[in-house]
């Protein structure tokens, strides 16, 4: 793809360009405006006291006596008249300062005369509170790497920290004449002045220069300069990146280059620009940096070519250079001070090459395989699917990665091989550079294009050999080869886009070593800027997850965070993948690590991160602004994001920015946005808490506990989302709460009304009215020391006491609900403090906070008798809410979305919005209840720890989901429509229409809904270890009794002593209703999202009636019948069941649909008759893009194809060649089971009669519930009936799975 022109770039069919350029503007394409005014653009007011001051200066010099009398007049006149110093300097400075500068210049001349090389060196600087002056000697067109580095100092001290309220302007000019010694040096002067604004706080979008302009600028700038700045201001306030414009000056080859950007978004740009134009043989005569009170910085540079000489002959003409500089300023804006800047300033490497080197240095630091063969051997011996083993491996990996290849060591290695960097860069450029203008254009091609015509482009094999020959040792070869692998992994990049704010790369993740990352990623983005580095990872094409910003307290913390950045992101996305089991989106996560020197630039970093990723998602056909990119991925991508740590207040900007850039999916791009943009805030409506709360209530329900008598510990206080809503929903007796401000304890119970007050105000426990504590109660804040508790105990350090309080065993609690806290607050080393005499001190734990406990700690607690539910199960309400928010955004057109989903400016919410929010809440509770019941049931049946079962359910659902999306079931129109009709919310169907929704929502998203709905309902009903025919049985029931819209999916269950419908959770304004007395609240009817909001307060019967049914028996071969679509065994007159070896069904008129789909289901789900699998995964190597080039792994350099949609593996082969998925684990019962009698009522079954090792049992609640006599047949792998296993299933309140309404389905054997 070398030397590509615009029309040769891969285009994506159906993608439309953004109608308006968003960032950089080059007026009139590449035809710059011509300025008629040849003046400097500034007119300094005359200093009327200049002559008088000059006389005073001469008198002072004479008094000092250092300067010979005969030189006083000449040196003073030279300083005042020949150096071109602005009158503002003389008006600002005192006579004493000017005398000091004149004497210093004379001293420098004397020193130069004494030197052998006669070189004149002048270094003058003076800094005051409101201004600074710097003067030194320099040779035009040469960057000085040593010396005072005045431009870098001005950047660091004055320009980088500038804000709208506190900023500095800069004037700089070069003297016209040569200095003594005739070595080409000139005097360069810098004047820095504190800005004075008449209007210091205008609106951010204000563009009137008379309002936002600085006083000196308004006084000195010519009308022509003001016109230029006014036009630029209109552009820059509406864009996220820089605006760069070039103006020709009539009658001169000098060019005026103007760069405008938002303050704080380009650190070090002033000095970096000098290196850039020096590299191309240009110098500046004048430079101005102007600040405006609306937060905009504008730089003006007057550039001219160097005088002709043998040294300057190698440089292109200024017309070509300025074109290249315009394109590269955007690159410089992304990383003004890259790690290889010395090579650029010295001319050894170009800006593009050094920026590329900086990016690959970041890449290699994260991905170089440095764990060694020992780690691989250990990982092969452990079970990656075992959560404890996986956690141990993760800890070992973190330890090993701190050794060998440190960031500094990698930097040192890459610095040694500039020639290899150039060759590797050319290979990268040859793939991704696009020449948008042909050779016959009316303007010269860019120098980048010309280099590709001249320099040799090496093949991958040639690069490998060159690296092997050039490197000094094995370590160096490994590092340079890792850069080569980076080139192979990049599928698309904005590196050559003329306008960008950060550098983004879409990478093929197949280079990741499987031993370290066993779960293959689907997609990976790497984003690099001067303020941050970041990743976005996803495990499926359709995936959703939050974006978090990581801050570091110091350099040591930053180093640790940088080393663990990718692994943390990978693990968070993987956890999200497991948490997202109920929704169509897979797991994804984005992590932004702020640079150690830019900890206060979180918003800038977030905006650059989002915008640069949009560069790779949206097409661009605005020449010179957003040129098309080379797209080796070749498919449209849509990312779904949400808020996370330090980004909750930034999602509105991201949504509106995507809308500004004309992203067609802007409505669904971010969840968690404000209601005015159609968002459903998790904290306002308690979405995450509803799920956590359902697990807490489930424990109470199962054990018959009265919540009011339960003593509770909670970390994460009333100031947080999860903690505040947990308090608002709870009626337990709070004994202790830990939050960021400290600890509050009352063994008699904390005052509930006071906790409600704090939760509604979102205030920490530091604001708790301690007069409401009992005599035994106390509060310890983190800043307090030497506090005596009521029992006499001394607390010496409040911070330490807070951090370890949850590990104390002094106070007794019944339930612990972590709603906040650092990851791994309880690990294997500290969990022992919660176990006494082999028994857990806290019997019930629901992990609301993410990763609060390590997996091995959870297992220890469960072994000690604790009933514990982990975060991946309990804390999933937020993701459900976000998914349904995305679905609504995709389903409505823009007009309908604004009308029905956007809260009005006055705070009033559309009726649909209110109903939809309530329905989302109901769905969260239903999904949590389904998983809770599944985990509880399987634990009772198998004794497997609940923490393990949670992971097994997640894996089973996600893997089956991926399998289903790859089968031909999706291609069955009737089945597809039936499933989507059940899965899509009733409110959306009624408002928009099913056909319209199917037309608007992307096909891959609908496919994901189809797979996730079927997979989650199947696994929740049949468990994580179903029998081999369970899914066929599940689908047979579905086809025989498809769920119809309007049916209730979740029967009513009254929670003991709880408020089932809190008013504050359905108020779009976040208002909170008064606390309802537990004794006064009726049981309420829960309705899933298919049925709209939770609005009924009708008391429920203790036993739901059985559903009417017509038993239709179809005769099958070998005595197998189908009862209502379910294969059963025929029971003979003597009560004995005839075993069946053949599940094949005989066609019947009443089940023509079932018979027609039976073979397709078996083939699609279990494989084809010849044993080949239909479940083909989505390849992640380059073959998916048609270029046939595999990306090697950093571990082995062999091709690794990542296939998240591939067959689950570990399947069993039956004699007929059917390949079954591995959802067939022991599904046994503990103490027998119960069967319906002829009336449908349950009775205890004789365990000696018959039974199955792999019973497919749908759990039922309340032993007296009448049940329809549906029957199931289960077989083992050989087709025969399993051996009996005496068991009795515990019967709990009814929960219905799989979309069937009313009473639950029973199993008769």
């Amino acid at each position: 793809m070398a030397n590509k022109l615009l029309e040769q770039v891969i285009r994506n069919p159906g993608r439309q360009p953004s109608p308006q350029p968003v960032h950089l503007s080059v007026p009139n394409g590449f035809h710059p405006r011509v300025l008629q005014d040849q003046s400097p653009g500034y007119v300094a007011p005359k200093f009327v006291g200049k002559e008088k001051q000059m006389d005073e200066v001469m008198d002072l010099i004479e008094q000092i006596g250092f300067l010979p009398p005969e030189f006083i007049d000449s040196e003073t006149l030279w300083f005042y008249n020949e150096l071109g110093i602005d009158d503002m300097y003389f008006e600002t400075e005192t006579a004493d300062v000017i005398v000091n500068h004149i004497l210093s210049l004379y001293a420098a001349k004397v020193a130069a005369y004494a030197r052998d090389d006669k070189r004149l060196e002048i270094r003058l600087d003076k800094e005051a509170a409101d201004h600074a002056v710097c003067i030194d000697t320099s040779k035009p067109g040469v960057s000085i790497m040593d010396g005072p580095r005045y431009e870098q100092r001005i950047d660091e001290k004055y320009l980088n920290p500038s804000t709208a309220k506190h900023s500095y302007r800069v004037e700089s000019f070069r003297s016209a004449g040569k200095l003594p010694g005739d070595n080409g040096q000139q005097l360069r002067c810098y004047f820095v002045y504190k800005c004075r604004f008449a209007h210091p706080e205008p609106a951010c979008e204000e563009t009137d220069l008379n309002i936002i302009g600085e006083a000196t600028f308004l006084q000195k700038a010519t009308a022509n300069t003001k016109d230029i700045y006014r036009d630029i201001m209109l552009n820059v306030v509406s864009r996220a990146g820089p605006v760069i414009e070039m103006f020709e000056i009539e009658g001169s080859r000098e060019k005026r280059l103007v760069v405008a950007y938002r303050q704080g978004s380009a650190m070090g740009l002033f000095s970096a620009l000098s290196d850039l134009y020096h590299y191309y043989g240009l110098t500046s005569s004048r430079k101005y940096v102007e600040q405006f009170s609306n937060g905009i910085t504008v730089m003006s540079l007057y550039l001219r070519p160097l005088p002709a000489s043998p040294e300057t002959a190698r440089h292109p003409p200024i017309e070509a250079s300025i074109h290249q500089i315009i394109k590269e300023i955007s690159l410089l804006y992304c990383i003004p001070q890259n790690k290889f800047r010395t090579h650029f300033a010295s001319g050894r490497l170009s800006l593009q090459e050094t920026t590329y080197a900086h990016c690959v240095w970041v890449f290699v630091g994260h991905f170089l395989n440095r764990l060694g063969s020992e780690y691989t051997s250990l990982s092969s011996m452990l079970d990656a699917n075992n959560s404890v083993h996986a956690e141990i491996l993760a800890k070992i990996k973190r330890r090993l990665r701190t050794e060998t290849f440190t960031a500094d060591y990698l930097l040192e290695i890459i610095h040694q091989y500039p020639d290899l960097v150039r060759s590797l860069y050319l290979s990268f450029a040859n793939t991704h550079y696009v020449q948008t203008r042909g050779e016959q254009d009316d303007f010269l091609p860019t120098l980048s294009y010309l280099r590709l015509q001249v320099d040799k482009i090496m093949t991958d094999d040639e690069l490998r050999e060159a690296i092997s020959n050039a490197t000094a040792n094995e370590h160096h070869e490994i590092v340079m080869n890792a850069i080569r692998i980076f080139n192979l992994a990049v599928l698309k990049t904005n590196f050559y886009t003329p306008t960008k704010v950060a550098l983004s790369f879409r990478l093929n993740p197949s280079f990741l070593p499987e031993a370290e990352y066993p779960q293959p990623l689907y997609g990976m983005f790497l984003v690099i800027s001067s303020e941050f580095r970041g990743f976005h990872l996803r495990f499926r094409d359709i995936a959703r997850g939050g974006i978090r910003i990581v801050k570091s307290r110091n350099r040591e913390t930053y180093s640790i965070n940088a080393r663990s950045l990718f692994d943390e992101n990978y693990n968070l996305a993987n956890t999200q993948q497991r948490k997202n089991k109920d929704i169509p989106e897979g797991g994804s996560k984005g992590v932004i690590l702020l640079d150690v020197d830019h900890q206060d630039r979180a918003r800038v970093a977030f905006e650059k991160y989002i915008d640069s990723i949009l560069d790779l998602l949206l097409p661009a056909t605005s020449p010179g602004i957003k040129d098309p990119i080379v797209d080796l991925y070749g498919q449209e991508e849509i990312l779904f994001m949400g808020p996370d740590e330090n980004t909750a207040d930034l999602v509105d900007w991201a949504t509106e920015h995507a809308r500004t850039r004309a992203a067609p999916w802007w409505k669904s791009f971010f969840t968690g946005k404000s209601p005015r943009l159609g968002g459903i805030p998790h904290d306002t409506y308690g979405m995450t808490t509803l799920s956590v709360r359902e697990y807490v209530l489930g424990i109470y329900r199962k054990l018959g506990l009265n919540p009011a008598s339960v003593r509770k510990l909670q970390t994460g206080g009333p100031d947080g989302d999860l903690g505040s809503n947990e308090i608002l929903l709870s009626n337990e007796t709070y004994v202790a709460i830990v939050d960021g401000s400290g600890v509050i304890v009352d063994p008699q119970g904390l005052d509930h009304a006071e906790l409600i007050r704090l939760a509604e105000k979102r205030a920490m426990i530091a604001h708790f009215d301690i007069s409401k504590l009992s005599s035994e109660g106390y509060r310890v804040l983190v800043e307090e020391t030497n506090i005596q508790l009521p029992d006499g105990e001394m607390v010496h350090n409040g911070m330490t006491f807070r951090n370890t309080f949850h590990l104390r065993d002094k106070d007794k609690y019944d339930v612990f609900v972590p709603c906040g806290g650092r990851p791994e607050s309880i690990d294997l080393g500290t969990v022992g403090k919660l176990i006494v005499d082999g028994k857990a001190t806290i019997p019930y734990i629901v992990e609301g906070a993410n990763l609060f406990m390590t997996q091995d700690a959870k297992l220890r607690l469960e072994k000690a008798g604790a009933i514990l539910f982990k975060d991946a199960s309990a804390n999933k309400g937020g993701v459900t809410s976000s998914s349904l928010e995305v679905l609504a955004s995709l389903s409505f057109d823009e007009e309908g979305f604004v009308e029905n989903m956007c809260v009005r400016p006055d705070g009033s919410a559309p009726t649909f919005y209110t109903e939809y929010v309530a329905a989302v809440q109901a769905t969260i509770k239903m999904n949590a209840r389904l998983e809770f019941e599944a985990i509880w049931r399987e634990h009772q049946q198998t004794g497997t720890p609940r923490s393990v079962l949670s992971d097994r359910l997640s894996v089973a659902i996600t893997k089956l989901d991926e399998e289903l999306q790859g089968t031909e079931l999706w291609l069955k129109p009737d089945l597809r429509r039936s499933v989507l009709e059940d899965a899509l919310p009733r409110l959306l169907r009624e408002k928009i229409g099913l056909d319209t929704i199917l037309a608007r929502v992307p096909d891959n998203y609908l496919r994901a809904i189809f797979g996730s709905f079927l997979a989650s309902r199947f696994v929740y009903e049949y468990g994580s270890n179903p029998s081999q025919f369970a899914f066929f049985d599940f689908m047979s029931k579905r086809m025989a009794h498809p769920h119809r819209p309007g049916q209730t999916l979740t029967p009513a269950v009254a929670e003991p002593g709880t408020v089932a419908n809190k008013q504050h959770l359905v108020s779009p304004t976040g208002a909170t209703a008064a606390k309802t007395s537990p004794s006064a609240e009726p049981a309420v009817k829960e309705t899933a999202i298919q049925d709209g909001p939770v609005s009924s307060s009708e008391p429920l019967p203790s036993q739901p009636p059985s559903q009417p049914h017509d038993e239709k028996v179809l005769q099958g071969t070998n005595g197998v019948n189908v009862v209502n679509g379910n294969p059963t065994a025929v029971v003979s007159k003597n009560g004995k069941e005839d075993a069946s070896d053949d599940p094949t069904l005989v066609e019947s008129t009443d089940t023509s649909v079932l018979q027609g789909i039976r073979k397709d289901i078996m083939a699609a789900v279990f494989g084809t008759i010849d044993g080949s699998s239909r479940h083909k995964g989505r390849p992640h190597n380059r073959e998916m893009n048609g270029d046939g080039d595999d990306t090697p792994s950093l571990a082995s350099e062999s091709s690794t194809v990542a296939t998240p949609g591939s067959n689950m593996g570990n399947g069993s082969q039956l004699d007929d060649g059917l390949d079954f998925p591995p959802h067939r684990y022991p599904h046994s019962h503990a103490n027998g089971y119960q069967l319906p009698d002829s009336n449908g009522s349950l009775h205890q079954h004789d365990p000696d009669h018959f039974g199955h090792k792999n019973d497919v049992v749908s759990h039922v609640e309340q032993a007296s519930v009448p049940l329809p006599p549906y029957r199931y047949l289960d077989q083992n792998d050989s087709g025969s009936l399993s051996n009996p296993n005496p068991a009795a299933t515990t019967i709990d309140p009814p929960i219905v799975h799989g979309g069937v309404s009313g009473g639950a389905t029973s199993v008769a054997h």
Side-chain angles (χ1 to χ4, degrees), residues 1189-1201:
D1189 181 18
D1190 294 346
T1191 302
S1193 164
L1194 281 177
S1196 63
E1197 294 193 9
S1198 61
S1199 176
T1200 304
V1201 181

Side-chain angles (χ1 to χ4, degrees), residues 384-457:
N385 296 319
N386 184 306
S387 53
V388 176
H389 292 185
E391 191 167 294
I392 292 173
L393 283 172
K395 290 180 178 179
I396 294 174
K397 180 163 61 175
R398 284 200 299 269
R399 218 38 171 327
L400 292 174
R401 284 197 147 174
T402 62
E403 307 297 333
T404 312
F405 290 100
T406 65
D408 289 340
Y409 184 38
L410 292 171
L411 195 63
E412 177 187 334
I413 291 173
I414 300 173
H415 261 295
Q416 294 181 39
Y417 300 100
D419 292 335
L420 282 181
V421 168
R422 180 179 293 107
S423 297
L424 288 161
Y425 166 75
L426 285 173
S427 174
F428 169 83
N430 189 53
T431 301
H432 295 283
Y433 180 76
V434 179
Q435 172 63 17
T436 59
R437 307 152 62 75
E439 295 177 357
Q440 305 303 319
D441 206 337
D442 59 351
F443 200 83
L444 289 173
T446 63
L447 300 181
S448 301
Y449 179 78
L450 295 176
R451 288 192 189 106
L452 292 177
Q453 313 303 307
V454 176
D455 296 334
K456 174 177 172 53
I457 310 298

Side-chain angles (χ1 to χ4, degrees), residues 29 83 100-101 131 226 238 391 468 480 546 560 612 638 685 802 882 957 995 1025 1065 1147 1180 1231:
L83 295 183
N100 184 45
H101 288 170
H131 71 281
K226 290 179 180 178
S238 62
E391 191 167 294
S468 179
M480 301 311 292
I560 295 171
S612 61
I638 303 176
Y685 301 107
R802 190 277 308 269
S882 296
I957 291 173
D995 292 330
N1025 311 320
L1065 293 181
E1147 183 175 356
H1180 285 208
N1231 301 306

Side-chain angles (χ1 to χ4, degrees), residues 303-442:
L303 303 178
R304 60 177 59 168
L306 293 173
S309 69
E311 295 180 359
T312 61
R314 62 186 179 89
H315 296 300
I318 187 173
E319 290 75 15
S321 295
I322 203 72
H323 180 203
Q324 188 71 26
I325 289 171
I326 288 172
K327 293 180 73 73
E328 292 193 4
I329 285 178
S330 179
L331 196 62
L332 195 65
Y333 174 85
C334 297
I335 312 176
Q337 307 289 335
N338 70 63
K339 293 292 184 179
F340 300 87
R341 180 171 172 267
T342 54
H343 284 301
F344 171 49
S346 66
R348 183 74 182 270
L349 293 174
S350 69
L351 175 64
Q352 293 177 351
E353 290 162 347
T354 56
T355 305
Y356 166 82
H358 181 97
C359 293
V360 297
W361 167 71
V362 172
F363 171 86
V364 173
H366 287 294
F367 297 114
L368 189 61
N369 178 25
R370 47 196 178 228
L371 300 182
S373 58
E374 294 83 359
Y375 176 86
T376 305
S377 300
L378 178 61
S379 63
S380 65
M381 296 171 63
L382 299 179
D383 180 7
N385 296 319
N386 184 306
S387 53
V388 176
H389 292 185
E391 191 167 294
I392 292 173
L393 283 172
K395 290 180 178 179
I396 294 174
K397 180 163 61 175
R398 284 200 299 269
R399 218 38 171 327
L400 292 174
R401 284 197 147 174
T402 62
E403 307 297 333
T404 312
F405 290 100
T406 65
D408 289 340
Y409 184 38
L410 292 171
L411 195 63
E412 177 187 334
I413 291 173
I414 300 173
H415 261 295
Q416 294 181 39
Y417 300 100
D419 292 335
L420 282 181
V421 168
R422 180 179 293 107
S423 297
L424 288 161
Y425 166 75
L426 285 173
S427 174
F428 169 83
N430 189 53
T431 301
H432 295 283
Y433 180 76
V434 179
Q435 172 63 17
T436 59
R437 307 152 62 75
E439 295 177 357
Q440 305 303 319
D441 206 337
D442 59 351

Side-chain angles (χ1 to χ4, degrees), residues 540-581:
R540 289 191 193 166
D541 181 18
I542 299 297
R544 199 204 70 82
I547 309 299
R548 67 170 51 182
I549 296 176
V550 177
K551 298 182 178 181
S552 309
R553 294 189 303 273
N554 49 49
R555 291 190 178 275
E556 181 182 2
T557 305
Y558 174 79
S559 179
I560 295 171
N561 289 338
R563 286 198 299 266
S564 63
L565 175 63
F566 180 80
D567 284 351
E568 177 184 348
N569 196 338
Y570 179 89
N571 292 332
L572 287 169
N574 204 4
T575 299
Q576 193 77 26
Q577 172 82 347
R578 295 195 299 272
K579 192 186 295 186
N580 287 12
K581 49 186 166 287

Side-chain angles (χ1 to χ4, degrees), residues 529-722:
S529 178
S530 59
E531 295 88 0
F532 71 95
R533 63 182 65 177
F535 289 98
H536 185 275
L537 310 178
R538 74 187 197 273
F539 282 95
R540 289 191 193 166
D541 181 18
I542 299 297
R544 199 204 70 82
I547 309 299
R548 67 170 51 182
I549 296 176
V550 177
K551 298 182 178 181
S552 309
R553 294 189 303 273
N554 49 49
R555 291 190 178 275
E556 181 182 2
T557 305
Y558 174 79
S559 179
I560 295 171
N561 289 338
R563 286 198 299 266
S564 63
L565 175 63
F566 180 80
D567 284 351
E568 177 184 348
N569 196 338
Y570 179 89
N571 292 332
L572 287 169
N574 204 4
T575 299
Q576 193 77 26
Q577 172 82 347
R578 295 195 299 272
K579 192 186 295 186
N580 287 12
K581 49 186 166 287
D582 295 324
I583 62 176
E585 298 95 342
S588 71
K589 208 73 171 182
V591 178
I592 300 169
L593 175 64
L594 294 178
D595 185 78
V596 65
D597 295 321
H598 297 88
Q599 294 298 300
D600 59 340
R601 304 289 175 178
R603 184 179 186 90
V604 170
F606 178 83
E607 292 180 358
K608 289 187 175 185
Y609 174 90
I610 294 299
D611 190 73
S612 61
I613 288 180
L614 288 176
D615 285 345
L616 303 186
L617 301 180
L618 297 173
T621 56
S622 302
I625 300 168
K626 288 290 182 186
D627 289 340
I629 60 175
V630 176
D631 186 355
L632 300 179
Y633 181 68
Q635 302 177 36
E636 184 175 10
E637 288 187 281
I638 303 176
L639 301 183
F640 302 105
M641 302 178 181
D644 206 309
E645 291 181 11
N646 300 310
T647 60
D649 59 339
L650 301 174
V651 297
D652 280 3
W653 177 90
T655 302
E656 293 173 325
H657 186 63
R659 185 180 191 176
T660 301
R661 293 200 59 178
W665 27 259
W666 69 267
K667 305 187 300 296
S668 59
F669 183 42
F670 255 86
T671 58
K673 51 190 178 288
S674 64
R676 69 179 179 83
L677 293 173
I680 303 177
H682 297 173
D683 55 349
T684 303
Y685 301 107
M687 298 306 190
T688 306
T689 310
L690 285 174
S691 178
V692 174
R693 191 69 191 154
E694 203 62 39
Y695 280 80
V696 176
L697 296 177
I699 294 174
Y700 299 162
R701 183 177 68 250
K702 294 293 185 182
L703 302 180
L705 301 176
N706 179 7
S709 64
V710 173
R711 296 169 60 81
K712 184 174 183 179
L713 165 66
Q714 178 176 312
T715 58
D719 60 311
D721 167 13
L722 192 55

Side-chain angles (χ1 to χ4, degrees), residues 910-954:
T911 301
F912 179 88
Y913 180 91
T914 304
E915 294 177 349
Y916 194 72
V917 167
V920 170
Q921 293 172 323
T923 300
I924 289 171
K925 297 172 71 176
M926 179 190 71
N927 287 342
R929 183 82 62 84
L930 290 175
E931 185 174 359
F932 173 88
E933 295 293 342
I935 293 174
W936 189 276
R937 181 182 69 246
E938 287 210 33
H939 173 74
Q940 287 193 316
Q941 294 167 355
T942 66
T944 304
R946 296 176 182 86
S947 299
V948 174
L949 289 174
S950 175
D951 292 335
R952 285 187 183 175
L953 282 173
S954 298

